[in-house]
Amino acid sequence: MVQASDFAFSGLHIPGNTSDAMGFRVTLVSMTQIPGLNTLGICLHQVDYAPWGIVPLHTHPRAIEILTVIEGSLEVGFVTSNPGNRHITKILKKGDVFVFPVGLIHYQRNIGYGNAVAIAALSSQNPGVITIANTVFGSKPDISTDLLAKAFQVDKSAVWQLQAKF
């Protein structure tokens, strides 16, 4: 028996804790929070940003993301696929909307001295998220240092330093 509570969520009025190193917090509103979303192919996230906070480079392998700025100003961007690898970027202000195509690496950064808030809608009930640095430098077991050093054309010590952070 379904109930109204299967189709509702309360909590986006509560600011997320942005005191981590990146300065952001995502509040999920997915089928876990709203069971009525199951099989509907959509979810929503609120993103709270500390001043100069960032959502680091990441991708959603199964969803388009559309971001609406509710408060503050954000620098947003994504990188197109090979061979162009074009960096598409824009400054967004309150009320502005930006689309991140499915599977492309993208980011957001609060460029203001105050907090910022955005709402992100994703075209999947399970969009997935792959954070690039965590994935590459924090995998278990580690990706070979030789391979990463060659791929990024850096010294092995740079790879070790990054792996130690993740």
Side-chain angles (χ1 to χ4, degrees):
M1 295 292 293
V2 296
Q3 301 174 11
S5 61
D6 293 326
F7 298 90
F9 173 81
S10 180
L12 295 184
H13 64 288
I14 302 167
N17 180 353
T18 59
S19 64
D20 68 342
M22 297 291 172
F24 82 100
R25 176 65 55 173
V26 174
T27 302
L28 303 175
V29 184
S30 65
M31 64 182 177
T32 302
Q33 291 76 28
I34 303 177
L37 284 174
N38 191 28
T39 75
L40 297 182
I42 192 167
C43 68
L44 185 81
H45 301 150
Q46 176 174 300
V47 187
D48 291 281
Y49 308 82
W52 301 101
I54 67 165
V55 176
L57 295 169
H58 67 285
T59 182
H60 302 287
R62 296 179 294 276
I64 296 165
E65 178 179 346
I66 184 166
L67 185 84
T68 303
V69 178
I70 304 301
E71 196 62 50
S73 297
L74 299 175
E75 173 192 353
V76 299
F78 65 86
V79 179
T80 64
S81 58
N82 291 337
N85 295 324
R86 289 189 53 224
H87 180 208
I88 308 295
T89 186
K90 183 150 180 67
I91 303 298
L92 304 179
K93 296 184 171 137
K94 183 177 181 176
D96 291 345
V97 177
F98 195 81
V99 175
F100 301 104
V102 65
L104 294 184
I105 295 172
H106 60 281
Y107 65 91
Q108 299 115 42
R109 175 171 61 165
N110 181 359
I111 57 170
Y113 292 97
N115 293 333
V117 179
I119 298 290
L122 293 104
S123 64
S124 172
Q125 68 188 36
N126 183 17
V129 64
I130 300 169
T131 306
I132 306 307
N134 293 359
T135 301
V136 173
F137 298 107
S139 66
K140 299 296 179 223
D142 291 345
I143 298 173
S144 161
T145 303
D146 292 338
L147 187 148
L148 290 175
K150 188 169 187 173
F152 287 99
Q153 299 178 12
V154 297
D155 187 79
K156 288 180 190 178
S157 64
V159 173
W160 290 326
Q161 185 177 19
L162 287 166
Q163 286 175 323
K165 288 185 173 284
F166 296 96

